[in-house]
Amino acid sequence: MTTTVVPSGSRPALPSAVGLSVALWLGAILAGLAESLVRLAAPVPPATGELAVRAGIYLVLGVVVLQLRSGHGVYRWTVLGVLGVLGTASLVVEPVRALADGGSVGLFLVSATAPELVAAALRGLHVVEVIAAVVLLFHPAARAFYRTTSPSTTVVAAPAGIR
């Protein structure tokens, strides 16, 4: 058998689906941060400590999202699980609970304050960006990108006589 070393530069270029997914994930994080800031004008604003914790979480999530560009599948699955599943659940549980308790969208729209309406719009944008980012993360080009090996050099064994 012949051994061939494939340099890291042979890694495929970042597919546009992954680049757009990263942009949407970052947009979703920014929408979450903006919603937190808008809630400062709400009748019961978040505490300073709560805002600091959220900002720290958003910073860590942003760093993980940027790692999606590396091609390592572990980041794709981490982002999907943490942001795509847990994050989306945290965004929709409050509105679903309000609807289950007899609330209605119409009543909310009529009685909500301006900051509540802006926060709801940002939350809606956040959810839409997450859904679109997940779809793009599993686009065929993205799946092929994450199937490639790690960016370090790779040793590929080929049968003797084949080069």
Side-chain angles (χ1 to χ4, degrees):
M1 268 196 192
T2 304
T3 302
T4 306
V5 176
V6 180
S8 61
S10 66
R11 170 164 215 88
L14 183 73
S16 60
V18 174
L20 185 53
S21 179
V22 168
L24 287 166
W25 284 117
L26 293 174
I29 291 169
L30 289 174
L33 181 59
E35 180 186 347
S36 295
L37 295 175
V38 165
R39 292 197 180 275
L40 287 171
V44 181
T48 304
E50 180 184 346
L51 285 175
V53 168
R54 284 179 184 244
I57 290 170
Y58 290 139
L59 179 63
V60 169
L61 293 174
V63 169
V64 173
V65 163
L66 289 173
Q67 294 304 311
L68 288 170
R69 299 176 305 170
S70 73
H72 293 290
V74 68
Y75 294 112
R76 180 170 70 150
W77 293 107
T78 300
V79 167
L80 175 68
V82 174
L83 290 171
V85 175
L86 297 176
T88 301
S90 73
L91 291 172
V92 300
V93 72
E94 181 185 347
V96 168
R97 187 175 293 143
L99 291 172
D101 290 343
S104 73
V105 174
L107 180 61
F108 171 77
L109 292 173
V110 170
S111 63
T113 64
E116 290 170 327
L117 290 172
V118 171
L122 285 167
R123 186 169 291 198
L125 173 65
H126 192 152
V127 171
V128 168
E129 286 179 316
V130 166
I131 292 168
V134 167
V135 168
L136 287 169
L137 216 46
F138 289 89
H139 182 277
R143 287 197 321 264
F145 178 70
Y146 288 109
R147 265 196 305 268
T148 59
T149 58
S150 83
S152 61
T153 57
T154 305
V155 176
V156 179
I162 299 177
R163 293 182 198 232

